[in-house]
Structures are given as C-alpha cells and as structure tokens.
C-alpha cells in the first residue's frame, strides 16, 4: 500500500512523505476490535513538503489553516473493520482534501447593471399587473 498519492495531474505526493499510525478502533467488530489495530491516522507535513510547489503551498496552507497542527494535516479513518480498507479510505480523504485546497480560486465577480430594455420591460409588467388588480375592485375609479 506504500505507493505515491496522486492528488492532481500536477501534484503527486511521494509515499515517503506520508506517515501512517495504527491504533485500536472503536465501533463494530466484536472481540476482533479488542485485538486488531484497524484505526488509521494518515499524516502529511504540508508546510515542509518539497513535493508541493511554493505558490500552491501558500494557497493550501491558507485554506487548510483550521485543520493543520504545526503545518501537519492528519486524517483518521476507523469506519471499516479491516485496516487495509481504512488505509484506503484515509488516503482517498487526504487526496480529496488536498485537491479541494489546491483548486484555483474562483474568478472575480464583475458587477453588472440591468439593461435599459430590461428596466423598461420590468416597469411595463408592473404597470400591467397594477391595471389587472385595479380592474378587480368593486369600484374601479377609487
């Protein structure tokens, strides 16, 4: 399972930069839970990683600031009973998080104004609606 983690076409994290820790998991599994280390903690040192380009690192550190502890991003997975499945789940979640953090910022919104024709159509529609309501009254000349 020690293979490189592909985040995007440009960003690939070498397996040597990922740290895995295993511990006992809570939840389903019966007596198996008490003996097997199926919980996985996957850590990646984003702040000091040589595989992340500097411009991208700054953006990712900014977006993941609340999830980092001393520049290290840690993902825990314990949903499955098998360690191998939890390792795969942790790697997928880490890749997804890094992919979202590495995404380009959305384009800046330019303010627009309604066209003159659109304003005139809106006013004409309001006028028609007012006439319709006025005609419903018992005494139309109020």
């Amino acid at each position: 399972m020690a293979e490189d983690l592909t985040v995007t076409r440009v960003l690939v994290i070498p397996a040597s930069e990922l740290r895995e820790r295993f511990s006992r998991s809570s939840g389903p599994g019966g007596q198996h839970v008490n003996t097997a280390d199926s919980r996985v903690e996957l850590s990646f040192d984003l702040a000091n990683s040589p595989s992340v380009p500097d411009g991208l690192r700054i953006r990712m550190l900014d977006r993941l600031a609340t999830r980092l502890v001393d520049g290290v991003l840690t993902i825990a997975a314990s949903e499955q009973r098998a360690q191998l499945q939890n390792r795969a789940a942790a790697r997928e979640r880490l890749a997804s998080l890094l992919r979202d953090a590495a995404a380009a910022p959305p384009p800046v919104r330019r303010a627009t104004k309604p066209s003159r024709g659109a304003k005139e159509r809106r006013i004409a529609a309001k006028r028609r609606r007012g006439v319709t309501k006025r005609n419903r009254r018992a005494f139309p000349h109020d």
Side-chain angles (χ1 to χ4, degrees):
M1 193 77 178
E3 56 189 42
D4 296 347
L5 182 66
T6 303
V7 178
T8 62
R9 284 184 290 141
V10 178
L11 181 60
V12 177
I13 299 168
S16 60
E17 292 186 30
L18 298 174
R19 299 282 172 252
E20 288 181 326
R21 266 188 51 211
F22 306 103
S23 59
R24 300 231 169 104
S25 177
S26 62
Q31 293 175 349
H32 172 73
V33 166
N34 301 328
T35 58
D37 290 340
S38 59
R39 181 175 188 266
V40 177
E41 281 186 21
L42 184 62
S43 299
F44 172 59
D45 190 357
L46 179 60
N48 301 316
S49 173
S51 60
V52 180
D54 290 333
L56 191 57
R57 178 182 296 116
I58 292 168
R59 183 189 311 158
M60 293 172 82
L61 286 171
D62 183 47
R63 289 184 178 174
L64 294 172
T66 58
R67 296 205 52 153
L68 298 175
V69 177
D70 297 328
V72 177
L73 178 63
T74 303
I75 302 291
S78 60
E79 299 82 31
Q80 306 296 325
R81 289 176 59 174
Q83 185 188 88
L84 199 61
Q85 291 173 327
N86 282 331
R87 288 173 80 181
R91 289 173 66 88
E92 182 53 42
R93 273 207 307 243
L94 178 65
S96 177
L97 258 176
L98 293 176
R99 197 174 301 119
D100 292 344
V108 178
R109 183 187 177 278
R110 282 194 340 221
T112 59
K113 289 194 270 186
S115 67
R116 181 175 167 193
K119 287 180 185 176
E120 289 173 359
R121 285 190 298 275
R122 183 180 68 87
I123 298 300
K126 287 168 72 82
R127 205 169 273 126
R128 278 194 309 273
R129 185 74 179 148
V131 168
T132 302
K133 288 185 170 190
R134 201 175 320 119
N135 290 338
R136 287 185 189 148
R137 294 184 188 157
F139 303 102
H141 299 292
D142 284 347

